[in-house]
Amino acid sequence: MRNVGCASRGLCALVLVVLSVLVMGTERPSITVDSDGTLLINATNRVIVNGVDVMAHSTVFKFLLRSNPQMVTPQRVISTDADGAQAVYAADLDNDGLIDVLSASYRDNKIAWYRNTGNGSFSDQIVIGIADNYARSIHAADFDKDGYVDVLIAAAYQDNIAWYRNNGNGTFSNRRVISTSANGARLVYAADLDNDGDMDVLCGSVYDNKVSWYRNNGAGVFSNQRIISNTLRDVRSVYAADLDKDGDLDVLSASSQDDKIAWHRNDGTGTFSAPIIISNSAIGARSVHAADLDQDGHVDVLSAAAADNTIAWYRNNGDATFSDPRILSTNAMGARAVFAADLDQDGWLDVLSASEGDNKIAWHRNTGQGTFSAQLIISTAALDAHSVFAADLNQDGSLDVLSASLGDNKVAWYPLDPPLLRAVAETMA
């Protein structure tokens, strides 16, 4: 068995045996081992494991999974020194082949990283810099094309968008300010918006209602603010993806005061259309993301809305229009973030969410063609969860989950084992 997510290998082995029994139908009794090394038991009547009748205890087992999700996906704390942890991101910052972790925390204004020392172990917090006031967002990209991943941040109360140059030796430059014109800068994202091969910067800001971008001239020097829109209200999130398949990245936004998920068409030169509304019913919209969820070759849209506790997606019809909201869950209390990744390695992109009202990191399994399971809980131990991300942190070939939670100042990760995830999802269906 690979490096797995249970508290012990013995527990995982028992869980896989039990789950394998629960998800099987009434086929002819058999015992087999699949290519992943998972033991599969088909039984029509009773299965006894160490004297325990598994079938008779299936209801109890499902209850245990619901009440204690960490028996499958334990929370592993990286740090509790991020006071008011708001955002988390992952990238290989020291070019050692291991994915490191970044955080932004608003009470201490720290921009920090945690070196991955191997096997999912991390260093103590390494402070990159102190943001001006109220660090809210963090991202990473190579802005100066020197082969090292730099760090991008937003600080809301000083309207500050800035980056830290990676010196290539595990240290970073002082803060390099890109702009102080994004009033209430809330989220930053890096993408090549003008197709010139350089990573530009995209920002959503709440107090001036702006979606804006900053052109990179190729050496990490940025243009003045270029406004994409200022007609949305309270822009909380932005993202970039090619929504109309014309070869350039369009811009998505989520705005909370008008409950809108919108997109802005890129004409290929970094000139954008006015907002094109995908939905105006994402009540208290907080996060927007994009991925091809139904594998039809068109990038779909995801949203998290805090006021109605909803995670939803919008199918891209392929003609630059989108479906009505397709609700994944209304049980994400105070939903703050949404992310797409194939967690169970079945070839379909699943959906992750972070919600602060129930301290929850959760996922929805994509069962194919954009059909999703009910909410499956990864953890309820992320107090005031605000951010979620996925990356392979322990080099076992499968994605793990990261979270930032401001109520307990915690940056944490959750090791995942895909066969176990699939078995749990099928059991809980």
Side-chain angles (χ1 to χ4, degrees), residues 176-215:
R176 300 184 175 192
V177 176
I178 296 172
S179 178
T180 57
S181 299
N183 192 358
R186 185 56 60 98
L187 191 138
V188 282
Y189 188 82
D192 183 6
L193 297 176
D194 55 0
N195 277 354
D196 66 351
D198 305 311
M199 297 300 285
D200 308 303
V201 171
L202 182 62
C203 179
S205 45
V206 296
Y207 302 133
D208 56 11
N209 306 314
K210 285 179 187 173
V211 178
S212 59
W213 75 288
Y214 307 82
R215 183 180 180 275

Side-chain angles (χ1 to χ4, degrees), residues 40-62:
L40 302 175
I41 303 175
N42 292 351
T44 57
N45 190 6
R46 302 175 70 201
V47 175
I48 308 299
V49 179
N50 292 337
V52 177
D53 188 334
V54 173
M55 301 301 288
H57 289 79
S58 63
T59 301
V60 174
F61 195 77
K62 288 182 180 181

Side-chain angles (χ1 to χ4, degrees), residues 89-364:
Y89 197 82
D92 183 3
L93 298 176
D94 52 4
N95 279 10
D96 64 352
L98 302 172
I99 302 298
D100 308 301
V101 173
L102 284 157
S103 68
S105 43
Y106 83 95
R107 282 193 288 262
D108 57 11
N109 298 310
K110 283 181 188 171
I111 307 303
W113 74 290
Y114 312 84
R115 180 182 285 113
N116 189 334
T117 56
N119 297 316
S121 297
F122 293 87
S123 71
D124 291 336
Q125 184 185 74
I126 305 168
V127 177
I128 295 173
I130 303 297
D132 275 346
N133 201 346
Y134 212 65
R136 293 302 302 258
S137 178
I138 195 160
H139 198 85
D142 184 1
F143 291 114
D144 54 1
K145 301 176 77 168
D146 65 352
Y148 296 99
V149 177
D150 309 302
V151 174
L152 175 69
I153 65 103
Y157 285 174
Q158 294 296 323
D159 312 328
N160 197 318
I161 303 167
W163 70 291
Y164 298 84
R165 182 180 181 273
N166 189 333
N167 297 322
N169 58 1
T171 67
F172 292 82
S173 71
N174 292 329
R175 184 179 67 235
R176 300 184 175 192
V177 176
I178 296 172
S179 178
T180 57
S181 299
N183 192 358
R186 185 56 60 98
L187 191 138
V188 282
Y189 188 82
D192 183 6
L193 297 176
D194 55 0
N195 277 354
D196 66 351
D198 305 311
M199 297 300 285
D200 308 303
V201 171
L202 182 62
C203 179
S205 45
V206 296
Y207 302 133
D208 56 11
N209 306 314
K210 285 179 187 173
V211 178
S212 59
W213 75 288
Y214 307 82
R215 183 180 180 275
N216 185 347
N217 74 356
V221 177
F222 293 86
S223 70
N224 291 330
Q225 183 183 75
R226 299 184 176 193
I227 297 172
I228 296 173
S229 172
N230 58 8
T231 60
L232 302 166
R233 295 178 56 203
D234 195 10
V235 179
R236 297 287 182 131
S237 181
V238 289
Y239 196 80
D242 186 2
L243 300 176
D244 53 4
K245 295 187 74 171
D246 65 351
D248 50 60
L249 294 177
D250 307 300
V251 170
L252 281 160
S253 62
S255 44
S256 66
Q257 291 300 311
D258 53 13
D259 310 321
K260 286 179 181 175
I261 305 299
W263 72 289
H264 313 259
R265 182 183 282 111
N266 188 344
D267 71 358
T269 66
T271 300
F272 294 86
S273 70
I276 304 168
I277 306 304
I278 296 173
S279 175
N280 56 13
S281 61
I283 310 302
R286 286 295 192 275
S287 179
V288 67
H289 194 79
D292 184 1
L293 298 175
D294 54 3
Q295 289 193 11
D296 65 351
H298 303 290
V299 178
D300 309 301
V301 174
L302 280 159
S303 69
D308 60 5
N309 312 314
T310 297
I311 307 299
W313 74 288
Y314 313 82
R315 183 179 181 273
N316 188 332
N317 297 321
D319 58 358
T321 67
F322 292 83
S323 71
D324 290 335
R326 300 186 176 191
I327 306 300
L328 298 183
S329 178
T330 55
N331 293 317
M333 303 297 291
R336 289 286 172 171
V338 67
F339 192 83
D342 184 5
L343 301 180
D344 58 359
Q345 292 187 340
D346 65 351
W348 297 94
L349 292 174
D350 309 301
V351 174
L352 280 163
S353 64
S355 45
E356 67 172 344
D358 49 16
N359 312 316
K360 193 185 292 178
I361 304 299
W363 72 296
H364 297 266

